[in-house]
Amino acid sequence: MSSIGTGYDLSVTTFSPDGRVFQIEYAAKAVDNSGTVIGIKCKDGIVMGVEKLIASKMMLPGSNRRIHSVHRHSGMAVAGLAADGRQIVARAKSEATNYESVYGEQIPVKELAERVASYVHLCTLYWWLRPFGCGVILGGYDRDGPQLYMVEPSGISYRYFGAAIGKGRQAAKTEIEKLKLSEMTCRQGVIEVAKIIYGVHDEAKDKAFELEMSWVCDESNRQHQKVPDELLEEAKAAAKAALEEMDAD
Amino acid sequence: MEIDADAPHSMGTTIIGVTYNGGVVLGADSRTSTGVYVANRASDKITQLTDNVYVCRSGSAADSQIVSDYVRYFLHQHTIQLGQPATVKVAANLVRLLAYNNKNMLQTGLIVGGWDKYEGGKIYGIPLGGTIIEQPFAIGGSGSSYLYGFFDQAWKEGMTKDEAEQLVVKAVSLAIARDGASGGVVRTVIINSEGVTRNFYPGDKLPLWYEELEPQFSLLDIPSSPGPEPMNI
């Protein structure tokens, strides 16, 4: 059990004696408890996938979208508190359209990530605002090529080749590190992401889940979109087959 | 004739921007007039916005200067934010937002030209109302009226740097010959991947046009120095 910051964890504007802000760390816990979200940067684009844990059997498949398009060229996959995530996506969309109306060009992904990160960070500065309880993986394709960023509840944002957040992130990161991303196309990447998500899903602890994936690559004409249905089915089938292979050992 | 010294400074002007194979050439005359009085006969109408983007100014001198100043300021901040040089498109868009949103108060036609690593050399014309139009070449100012036909005939795709600059110098001097509100020297700015080059062509370096040759009445008159060759189109 991690240390309990008794007394120093009541407000996001209080530091502990060892220099930590506990409220932000607790916000990160909310992200850690959510379904796994993965993003990878292939040589021709970005693939993102989400392990959507199904809360109720009565939910329609395809509802509770976790991956959103921010602009034509970029999308965001959210982990953690869904309502907080909606707010971040709305802000990102607004930043992107505002940038385009002022500067006349699509917002560079780096700039978008910085603006989102600074918005998330903003909410860690005031006692009357709570930090966002969600982490975001932002993938986009601009004139400098495909880029992948991850924004944490603390407001930190880094650029990655591969990133994972949520329950199965440790296992997922290990799997991602094994991949040769610089040689992989997004078509292959979609299959790999599906395999990883099926792989890290814990059948015992969690019930059913739905796989949601999106990509932005040369094949999708540099537009962010859901992975096409046939490719998604192919990926799911490959992932299930890989699981059975593992079980058979 | 009464000279109204309080009349707003206007740049009668001829301004030109031309793309070539590898960059752009911007050119302008140098006359700033206050009514019929030439307030500045050697003004510089090609103004820097960033290291790689310049703008040619025409119309009201004050209006075009203030627009340039604002855009230079915004572009500077944008460059710091982005961590790399701004593109010509962004510079032109900022100019047009100011020109369009303040159209009732401004009277200035601008030509934004420059080079960036994504699109290469680009020219954007932003005339009076605040439209923005990307063009292979653009002309503006009162002297440009006399150049439409000239460019229709003389412009071609994929010129070299020297061909483009000669075209610009020739065009500005033609306009100066016919437009009373344009005059003085010809200034050019060449922008490409290697950087920016400023050139200056004083009156005696400009091509002479037919009517401007010295009249010769007698074969006994030997001109003291042979003048430059007249230009033929």
Side-chain angles (χ1 to χ4, degrees):
Chain A
M1 188 66 199
S2 52
S3 64
I4 303 170
T6 324
Y8 301 108
D9 60 348
L10 297 176
S11 161
V12 79
T13 53
T14 307
F15 277 98
S16 74
D18 51 343
R20 297 155 69 175
V21 183
F22 280 101
Q23 278 295 311
I24 297 180
E25 294 183 23
Y26 297 162
K29 295 244 173 49
V31 180
D32 293 342
N33 290 336
S34 108
T36 315
V37 174
I38 300 180
I40 56 171
K41 174 174 121 80
C42 307
K43 73 174 179 204
D44 64 336
I46 306 282
V47 179
M48 294 191 284
V50 176
E51 172 203 13
K52 256 191 333 194
L53 299 168
I54 297 181
S56 149
K57 288 207 176 86
M58 298 216 265
M59 268 172 57
L60 270 178
S63 66
N64 191 25
R65 294 228 60 181
R66 298 277 293 278
I67 307 185
H68 304 89
S69 278
V70 169
H71 204 53
R72 288 183 297 277
H73 65 341
S74 52
M76 234 181 212
V78 173
L81 301 178
D84 287 11
R86 221 176 19 247
Q87 203 46 18
I88 297 188
V89 170
R91 178 74 185 206
K93 285 179 181 172
S94 147
E95 292 283 0
T97 45
N98 175 262
Y99 183 97
E100 185 155 356
S101 63
V102 170
Y103 295 104
E105 58 174 17
Q106 287 198 333
I107 185 167
V109 187
K110 174 169 183 274
E111 179 69 19
L112 179 61
E114 273 170 33
R115 290 191 182 198
V116 169
S118 98
Y119 177 63
V120 169
H121 175 245
L122 191 78
C123 300
T124 65
L125 294 174
Y126 304 101
W127 62 266
W128 39 266
L129 266 184
R130 68 165 173 79
F132 279 102
C134 59
V136 152
I137 293 189
L138 167 66
Y141 200 147
D142 64 21
R143 63 191 180 197
D144 293 315
Q147 292 154 67
L148 183 71
Y149 289 86
M150 181 164 84
V151 183
E152 299 168 26
S154 56
I156 288 179
S157 152
Y158 288 131
R159 196 169 153 187
Y160 292 91
F161 291 111
I165 38 183
K167 278 193 176 91
R169 69 189 175 289
Q170 296 290 35
K173 276 188 217 167
T174 320
E175 289 305 310
I176 293 176
E177 275 167 32
K178 291 184 194 158
L179 299 174
K180 286 226 176 69
L181 290 171
S182 53
E183 289 155 29
M184 202 183 283
T185 64
C186 277
R187 270 212 160 239
Q188 297 162 320
V190 167
I191 315 274
E192 295 302 327
V193 167
K195 282 191 197 161
I196 295 175
I197 291 192
Y198 271 78
V200 305
H201 176 68
D202 192 335
E203 280 296 335
K205 291 213 191 113
D206 306 310
K207 301 292 169 48
F209 81 102
E210 197 189 320
L211 175 64
E212 190 179 321
M213 288 220 277
S214 80
W215 66 358
V216 52
C217 56
D218 291 334
E219 209 182 308
S220 75
N221 219 2
R222 303 195 182 183
Q223 310 288 313
H224 180 256
Q225 52 182 224
K226 269 170 51 174
V227 165
D229 288 334
E230 349 81 52
L231 183 55
L232 188 59
E233 292 311 313
E234 199 188 311
K236 284 185 189 169
K240 286 185 191 140
L243 259 187
E244 272 156 31
E245 240 182 64
M246 270 175 21
D247 288 344
D249 285 338
Chain B
M1 182 151 196
E2 289 292 311
I3 292 178
D4 181 9
D6 298 322
H9 284 24
S10 157
M11 298 175 302
T13 307
T14 307
I15 49 173
I16 300 179
V18 151
T19 57
Y20 71 90
N21 173 24
V24 299
V25 179
L26 302 177
D29 75 309
S30 68
R31 177 170 291 182
T32 306
S33 34
T34 321
V36 295
Y37 171 67
V38 177
N40 186 352
R41 62 181 165 97
S43 47
D44 181 8
K45 301 182 188 179
I46 310 179
T47 307
Q48 185 185 31
L49 294 179
T50 70
D51 288 342
N52 52 318
V53 181
Y54 280 66
V55 62
C56 297
R57 303 180 290 110
S58 78
S60 154
D63 289 352
S64 64
Q65 281 172 13
I66 204 79
V67 168
S68 308
D69 288 348
Y70 270 117
V71 174
R72 191 179 311 120
Y73 168 63
F74 294 138
L75 277 176
H76 184 222
Q77 292 187 318
H78 181 67
T79 304
I80 292 173
Q81 181 82 354
L82 232 52
Q84 59 183 32
T87 57
V88 190
K89 191 175 192 184
V90 164
N93 206 55
L94 290 173
V95 172
R96 86 78 186 219
L97 281 179
L98 281 172
Y100 177 76
N101 289 323
N102 297 293
K103 61 161 78 194
N104 293 327
M105 291 186 285
L106 295 174
Q107 196 180 64
T108 169
L110 301 149
I111 297 179
V112 177
W115 183 94
D116 61 60
K117 71 180 189 215
Y118 300 105
E119 300 277 340
K122 285 286 181 195
I123 293 284
Y124 292 85
I126 303 161
L128 241 42
T131 38
I132 178 170
I133 173 153
E134 199 249 299
Q135 302 169 287
F137 68 88
I139 54 178
S142 57
S144 67
S145 317
Y146 308 102
L147 295 176
Y148 284 96
F150 172 72
F151 268 92
D152 282 345
Q153 201 235 28
W155 158 262
K156 51 187 178 26
E157 188 80 40
M159 291 185 283
T160 65
K161 178 174 73 143
D162 291 328
E163 280 177 333
E165 197 189 11
Q166 275 162 30
L167 178 66
V168 167
V169 172
K170 188 163 164 180
V172 178
S173 51
L174 277 170
I176 286 174
R178 290 292 183 179
D179 178 30
S182 301
V185 305
V186 177
R187 296 188 193 271
T188 63
V189 172
I190 307 173
I191 312 172
N192 51 33
S193 57
E194 280 141 42
V196 176
T197 315
R198 265 193 176 278
N199 287 323
F200 170 77
Y201 297 88
D204 56 352
K205 294 282 183 307
L206 295 179
L208 268 186
W209 303 111
Y210 187 76
E211 296 84 9
E212 296 171 45
L213 287 178
E214 289 289 330
Q216 282 170 270
F217 296 109
S218 163
L219 289 172
L220 294 173
D221 285 339
I222 302 163
S224 50
S225 61
E229 288 294 316
M231 290 287 302
N232 286 314
I233 293 187

